[in-house]
Amino acid sequence: MSRSVFFILAVNVVMSAVIVASSYSWFSVWVGLELNTLSVLPILCGQFTPRGVESTVKYFLVQAFSAAMILNVALVQVWLTSSWSINCPLSQFSSVILTLSLSLKLGLFPCHYWFPDVIQGLSFLQGLLLSTWQKVAPFIILVSVSGVISVNVLVILGCLSVLAGGWGGLNQSQVRKIMAFSSISHLGWISSVVVYSERIGCAMFVVYVILSSTIFLINSKVGLYNLASLGRLMYCNNAVGMILILVVLSLGGLPPLTGFLNKFAGLSCLLSNSLLVPCVVLIVGSLLSLFFYLRISFNSVLSLFPQHSMMMFSWRSGGNILNEVNFYSGLLSVLSSFSILGLVLIPAIWGFY
């Protein structure tokens, strides 16, 4: 793919999210979603590998079906209220269908099965695009309609997504699938909180994007595709290995890292609305997720991970990892420093919450 074509597609991807964010009509929202999907498809299959094309087709089918559901909800609303405005009250049926369509786009339970398979068939940078930026437009729609959709249904789906993300990632050895289930779990947290506090939900989403982007960038540059290859990172570059460990633990929510403050604010919001049972479910799901986060951290400090004897020297053919990460050294330093701020910034961040 030429640079000019890639630049045009990237601009269209950004502009589609801007269209969705600035829309007050269901039709323009649908146009923005379709523009986003059609612009990102050539980027996903740019390398044109069989596995990449398969993942791209799966992603296209899922996004087209969810966009069709949103358009049908809009048509039902026009028929009932004679208005395309997204602020009009929704009927109970339209509310459930819209919630399920947004769950399909965000990868929430029970519409999350497509996401790990699609991420596994793409590169780390493409997975970064799907896990972060491609969630922006559906998240904006979710924030816009949070006052008119069924709150109880969304909270239930969010809690079940946290459990599904934590349980699904326990038996995974591929880093991309682990990050996919991590995305499902974190979006479950965000969806459960955003209907009660848009400010806290948006802040949680931004923190998730920053932490997840750091892990994807490190894995992309170093080529850590499975847990067995994590040990070579600490063996060849201690600094980047420590950055990865800190960001992973922060993503898991261990104090005093930033991820802990993120989840603490979400729990505080839910408890202030007397939602004790969802808080218990979210905590249990986070403990399940914390298990494979700790497994990534533990494997990162093992220079001799249990594996075949010939795999012990695979780092020799992978080039100099120290030179590979120099390009991202400044960005990784900023992102890792953000992940370890945590409780140091509680007075300032708590005032924002």
Side-chain angles (χ1 to χ4, degrees):
M1 181 184 300
S2 64
R3 293 184 179 181
S4 58
V5 174
F6 179 80
F7 177 76
I8 294 174
L9 293 174
V11 171
N12 286 335
V13 171
V14 175
M15 288 303 299
S16 61
V18 175
I19 292 174
V20 173
S22 59
S23 298
Y24 294 95
S25 170
W26 281 113
F27 182 76
S28 56
V29 167
W30 175 76
V31 170
L33 292 175
E34 289 298 321
L35 178 62
N36 181 271
T37 301
L38 296 177
S39 300
V40 80
L41 291 178
I43 298 177
L44 297 182
C45 63
Q47 299 177 352
F48 208 73
T49 59
R51 191 69 175 88
V53 173
E54 178 187 352
S55 298
T56 303
V57 172
K58 290 180 180 179
Y59 181 75
F60 168 71
L61 294 176
V62 169
Q63 297 300 310
F65 181 73
S66 59
M69 293 174 64
I70 293 176
L71 183 60
N72 287 329
V73 170
L75 293 176
V76 170
Q77 285 300 110
V78 172
W79 182 51
L80 294 177
T81 63
S82 300
S83 175
W84 286 93
S85 177
I86 63 176
N87 295 321
C88 289
L90 297 174
S91 63
Q92 185 175 3
F93 176 77
S94 298
S95 176
V96 174
I97 297 300
L98 180 60
T99 304
L100 290 177
S101 62
L102 292 178
S103 300
L104 190 59
K105 280 190 169 294
L106 291 171
L108 297 178
F109 182 91
C111 310
H112 66 286
Y113 294 100
W114 64 272
F115 191 63
D117 289 334
V118 171
I119 293 294
Q120 181 62 26
L122 302 174
S123 65
F124 277 110
L125 293 181
Q126 293 168 338
L128 170 62
L129 178 64
L130 292 189
S131 299
T132 55
W133 183 258
Q134 290 302 105
K135 306 291 186 182
V136 171
F139 180 72
I140 291 174
I141 301 175
L142 182 63
V143 172
S144 301
V145 301
S146 59
V148 296
I149 61 175
S150 178
V151 175
N152 295 329
V153 173
L154 191 59
V155 171
I156 292 174
L157 293 182
C159 294
L160 293 177
S161 298
V162 175
L163 291 176
W167 187 263
L170 289 178
N171 199 31
Q172 301 296 328
S173 59
Q174 299 295 320
V175 176
R176 284 171 292 184
K177 278 198 172 182
I178 290 178
M179 293 305 300
F181 283 108
S182 172
S183 175
I184 295 171
S185 177
H186 280 83
L187 287 172
W189 270 89
I190 295 169
S191 300
S192 301
V193 174
V194 73
V195 290
Y196 292 101
S197 176
E198 296 179 2
R199 177 177 295 184
I200 296 180
C202 293
M204 294 176 67
F205 183 77
V206 171
V207 172
Y208 157 72
V209 168
I210 294 176
L211 297 179
S212 182
S213 300
T214 307
I215 298 178
F216 272 106
L217 289 176
I218 293 177
N219 292 333
S220 172
K221 205 60 182 177
V222 181
L224 304 177
Y225 295 99
N226 50 60
L227 295 179
S229 61
L230 288 173
R232 66 175 186 170
L233 177 60
M234 183 65 74
Y235 183 79
C236 297
N237 193 326
N238 293 331
V240 178
M242 288 302 300
I243 290 176
L244 179 63
I245 293 174
L246 287 175
V247 176
V248 167
L249 293 180
S250 180
L251 199 62
L254 281 182
L257 303 176
T258 307
F260 167 75
L261 182 61
N262 206 26
K263 295 183 177 181
F264 183 80
L267 289 176
S268 176
C269 176
L270 294 177
L271 287 176
S272 63
N273 290 276
S274 302
L275 297 175
L276 181 60
V277 175
C279 289
V280 174
V281 176
L282 292 177
I283 292 174
V284 172
S286 294
L287 291 177
L288 292 174
S289 301
L290 186 60
F291 177 81
F292 57 78
Y293 288 132
L294 290 175
R295 186 170 59 175
I296 292 177
S297 303
F298 180 72
N299 292 342
S300 299
V301 299
L302 291 178
S303 59
L304 295 179
F305 183 81
Q307 54 191 314
H308 193 272
S309 58
M310 296 301 295
M311 291 295 294
M312 292 171 57
F313 302 99
S314 61
W315 60 272
R316 295 183 184 273
S317 60
N320 191 341
I321 296 179
L322 181 61
N323 294 330
E324 289 292 325
V325 298
N326 281 338
F327 178 76
Y328 288 134
S329 58
L331 178 61
L332 292 178
S333 300
V334 174
L335 296 179
S336 60
S337 62
F338 174 82
S339 67
I340 63 177
L341 292 178
L343 299 181
V344 178
L345 294 182
I346 276 187
I349 300 180
W350 196 257
F352 172 77
Y353 285 148

